[in-house]
């Protein structure tokens, strides 16, 4: 099937530099395109052509109404629309409306990121679960900074379990804080990206922002605070229960983690997995799940995550077949 779509001025970002976005359109929607002076010809299977045509028309309509897209937005939206038939460009554009956090203006890049930000605004406790690179920690830190600057809370507390990810770091010299800082570096990175360095240092010195291992949370009640537990998949059941019960008055808690990257020793059950089972249905708690479609790092990261998922599924399938064969042999 072949169709022709009228294109108007202002759609340069849809075309992309050296037509790179058009190439992505062809790749994701399984169509071929031919760009004319004022038209774009789309050829392929009927369903694919209809979806691509609808996307181009939606894009030009939104641009005419004043919506502006940058290059990275277009690439992210193309990928999401290709994989989710129920998604619309208008919905994604609204999901990606800019929000000001500290020194940066940040736009959620997917529907799940928008759901996550909205959930944090509406709920006192939110679990963000999914693979790395989906913005779970970064957006949580941005929301915490926004809450602090707007005086919704008086402090930010960022916690992480100090679990080695397969490496043995050995003896680390220095104070207790210096010993645990390598484990907490991703939280510092997110803070420095959202706030000016001098402001971060000032807040850290005054205790307005605190970054610490989860063990330091024991025995405390966290009032008037925005609390983030990062890498929660590496908490034990006892640590997770302890953390969840620290929440005080006028406080929010965001718990983030990737259940496919558990570094606990001796096959201990992740506190994050258990918490989802135990408190997942408690009113006032929101669970937001991310997938490889929400990855906002290099495009290869999404493909790598998918490749590992397929590898793990294949390995599990082989193990089950072997187990079934052994049972029959017995």
């Amino acid at each position: 099937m072949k169709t022709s779509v009228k294109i108007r001025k202002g759609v340069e970002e849809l075309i992309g530099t050296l037509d790179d976005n058009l190439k992505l359109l062809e790749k994701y929607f399984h169509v071929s395109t031919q760009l004319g002076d004022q038209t774009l010809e789309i050829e392929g299977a009927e369903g694919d052509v209809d979806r691509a045509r609808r996307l181009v028309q939606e894009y030009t309509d939104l641009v005419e109404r004043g919506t502006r897209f940058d290059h990275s937005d277009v690439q992210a939206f193309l990928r999401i629309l290709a994989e989710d038939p129920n998604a619309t460009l208008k919905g994604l554009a609204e999901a990606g409306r800019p929000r000001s956090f500290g020194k940066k203006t940040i736009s959620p890049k997917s529907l799940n990121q928008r759901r996550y930000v909205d959930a944090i605004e509406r709920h006192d406790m939110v679990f963000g679960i999914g693979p790395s690179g989906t913005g779970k920690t970064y957006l949580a830190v941005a929301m915490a900074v926004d809450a602090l600057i707007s005086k919704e809370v008086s402090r930010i507390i960022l916690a992480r379990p100090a679990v080695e990810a397969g490496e043995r770091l050995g003896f680390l010299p220095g104070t207790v804080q210096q010993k645990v800082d390598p484990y907490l570096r991703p939280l510092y990175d997110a803070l420095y990206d959202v706030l000016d360095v001098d402001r971060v240092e000032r807040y850290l010195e005054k205790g307005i922002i605190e970054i610490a291992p989860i063990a330091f949370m024991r025995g405390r009640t966290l009032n008037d605070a925005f609390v983030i537990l990062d890498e929660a998949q590496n908490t034990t059941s006892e640590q997770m229960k302890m953390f969840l019960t620290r929440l005080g008055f006028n406080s929010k808690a965001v718990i983030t983690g990737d259940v496919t990257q558990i570094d606990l020793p001796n096959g201990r059950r992740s506190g994050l997995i258990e918490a989802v089972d135990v408190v997942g249905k408690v009113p006032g708690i929101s669970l937001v799940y991310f997938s490889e479609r929400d990855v906002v790092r290099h495009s290869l990261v999404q493909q790598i995550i998918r490749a590992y998922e397929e590898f793990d599924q294949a390995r599990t399938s082989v193990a089950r077949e072997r187990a079934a064969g052994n049972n029959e042999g017995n």
Side-chain angles (χ1 to χ4, degrees):
M1 175 183 176
K2 182 186 286 188
T3 190
S4 182
V5 185
K6 226 177 180 183
I7 57 174
R8 298 179 283 277
K9 194 174 179 182
V11 297
E12 292 81 3
E13 287 301 337
L14 178 61
I15 307 303
T17 306
L18 300 177
D19 298 350
D20 56 348
N21 285 345
L22 271 187
K23 291 172 186 173
L24 284 177
L25 177 76
E26 292 177 339
K27 175 185 175 183
Y28 291 145
F29 287 81
H30 311 292
V31 296
S32 60
T33 63
Q34 182 66 45
L35 183 62
D37 289 337
Q38 292 183 316
T39 60
L40 178 68
E41 286 191 352
I42 306 173
E43 186 172 3
E46 184 175 355
D48 296 331
V49 169
D50 284 342
R51 291 180 64 208
R53 175 181 52 77
R54 192 161 56 245
L55 163 64
V56 176
Q57 288 176 336
E58 267 194 296
Y59 184 93
T60 53
D61 289 343
L62 286 167
V63 168
E64 284 193 339
R65 292 172 190 170
T67 303
R68 291 292 173 264
F69 298 89
D70 64 34
H71 192 69
S72 61
D73 285 339
V74 172
Q75 295 195 344
F77 293 164
L78 281 173
R79 185 180 72 239
I80 296 166
L81 289 165
E83 296 185 358
D84 186 355
N86 297 318
T88 65
L89 186 59
K90 182 181 178 183
L92 290 174
E94 290 175 352
R97 66 187 184 278
R99 296 167 182 259
S100 294
F101 301 104
K103 69 178 183 181
K104 296 195 80 171
T105 297
I106 299 168
S107 299
K109 299 293 185 186
S110 71
L111 290 174
N112 283 331
Q113 284 194 358
R114 198 273 298 268
R115 291 184 185 117
Y116 183 55
V117 168
D118 288 348
I120 293 172
E121 287 180 338
R122 295 195 315 267
H123 296 85
D124 288 337
M125 185 173 290
V126 176
F127 287 78
I129 303 169
S132 59
T134 51
K136 304 183 302 296
T137 303
Y138 188 85
L139 287 173
V141 170
M143 293 291 286
V145 167
D146 182 60
L148 180 66
I149 291 173
S150 61
K151 300 189 186 233
E152 294 174 27
V153 297
S154 62
R155 57 181 172 155
I156 296 172
I157 299 171
L158 309 174
R160 244 186 177 219
V163 175
E164 294 172 343
E167 301 92 352
R168 288 287 176 265
L169 300 181
F171 174 75
L172 293 172
T175 64
V176 172
Q177 190 65 46
Q178 289 170 332
K179 290 175 189 292
V180 299
D181 272 356
Y183 299 101
L184 307 172
R185 178 49 51 188
L187 296 174
Y188 284 103
D189 292 342
L191 266 179
Y192 287 130
D193 197 52
V194 176
L195 278 176
D196 294 322
V197 174
D198 291 343
R199 202 172 190 181
V200 173
E201 297 299 335
R202 190 166 67 250
Y203 284 164
L204 288 169
E205 286 175 10
K206 293 182 176 180
I208 295 172
I209 296 179
E210 179 183 348
I211 303 178
I214 188 174
F216 287 23
M217 300 296 106
R218 192 172 296 280
R220 302 175 63 183
T221 300
L222 306 176
N223 293 317
D224 200 28
F226 197 118
V227 192
I228 299 172
L229 174 58
D230 191 35
E231 295 289 319
Q233 76 275 5
N234 287 328
T235 59
T236 63
S237 298
E238 296 79 12
Q239 286 176 326
M240 179 60 79
K241 181 181 178 183
M242 178 271 292
F243 176 83
L244 296 180
T245 55
R246 297 308 92 198
L247 196 65
F249 295 107
N250 190 41
S251 291
K252 281 183 181 288
V254 179
I255 300 97
T256 71
D258 177 2
V259 294
T260 68
Q261 295 190 26
I262 297 172
D263 301 310
L264 291 171
N266 304 322
R268 296 191 68 177
R269 193 181 190 209
S270 165
L272 176 59
I273 293 176
E274 182 175 277
V276 170
D277 292 339
V278 175
V279 304
K281 295 182 180 178
V282 172
I285 295 178
S286 176
L287 274 64
V288 180
Y289 290 93
F290 296 86
S291 71
E292 79 279 352
R293 289 184 305 188
D294 301 300
V295 171
V296 290
R297 292 179 182 167
H298 193 288
S299 58
L300 275 176
V301 174
Q302 185 188 57
Q303 298 176 51
I304 289 168
I305 292 170
R306 187 176 299 151
Y308 268 101
E309 287 179 349
E310 292 173 354
F311 175 78
D312 288 340
Q313 289 171 1
R315 185 167 55 182
T316 301
S317 178
V318 169
R320 285 175 179 166
E321 288 175 2
R322 286 177 180 170
N326 291 337
N327 290 336
E328 288 177 3
N330 294 333

